[in-house]
Every structure is written in C-alpha cells, then in structure tokens.
Amino acid sequence: MSVDVADAPGRARYEARLRGELVAYAEYVRREGVVTFTRTAVLPPAEGTGAAAALARASLDETRRRGERVRPLCPYYASWIEQHPEYRDLVVEGRATKHP
C-alpha cells in the first residue's frame, strides 16, 4: 500500500491519501519553528493499514527538512516517536502536556 502524505497548511494538518482518497490526517499548530501535533485521525476504512505510521514518518521527515522541531501533544505522535528513537532529536521540551 502506498500512502501519499502532503502538508495542507490551509487546514493546518498533514493529510494521508490512498488512491486519492483521504484516509488519515494529523492536525498541528506551527509557531516559531515548532510544530505541535495536536490530533491524529484515521478514517474507519483505513484503520490498521499503516496509514497513521506513514503519516507520522512523512510529516516528521518534512519537519526535519524544514529545520523545525516537534512538540508531540497528540498521544499517537508521542508514542510513535518513543518507538522510533531516530526522531527523538526533533522533540522540544519533551512531551507537552498543554496546548501551545
């Protein structure tokens, strides 16, 4: 399965699409070089397909390319980063507990 992930800044979220159909998204707040991921949603037909993992990896890779840092307020992103230590260097101030 090939999931396409793109930033949708007008909606303040990254979107994952499978065959052109929206299957998952991660909402964020981008401020002063920090991307705070606040919520991840996977639409029911895509649950268990790896769409959320593809979304996390692609959005974090883009964040790194942009020279930004991450605040994983979203429990999914916090857990995913914990399981993928190669992304821990992106985290600013550890795991946030409050909305920015």
Side-chain angles (χ1 to χ4, degrees):
M1 171 182 77
S2 177
V3 176
D4 296 314
V5 177
D7 189 6
R11 292 184 202 82
R13 67 186 193 181
Y14 281 89
E15 297 178 341
R17 295 181 181 277
L18 181 61
R19 294 184 295 277
E21 296 293 320
L22 181 68
V23 295
Y25 58 89
E27 297 174 347
Y28 64 79
V29 174
R30 180 173 275 127
R31 187 179 310 152
E32 299 176 4
V34 177
V35 180
T36 301
F37 287 97
T38 58
R39 178 174 180 259
T40 301
V42 178
L43 303 180
E47 290 176 353
T49 64
L55 179 63
R57 184 176 303 280
S59 62
L60 292 171
D61 285 345
E62 182 170 318
T63 299
R64 186 184 302 281
R65 281 191 299 276
R66 293 173 62 131
E68 296 174 316
R69 304 290 300 276
V70 171
R71 184 174 292 121
L73 180 62
C74 167
Y76 180 80
Y77 268 73
S79 175
W80 197 90
I81 291 169
E82 285 274 326
Q83 295 171 25
H84 297 86
E86 64 272 25
Y87 290 94
R88 288 184 190 156
D89 65 306
L90 292 174
V91 177
V92 64
E93 302 173 23
R95 182 175 173 190
T97 56
K98 297 180 182 176
H99 196 279

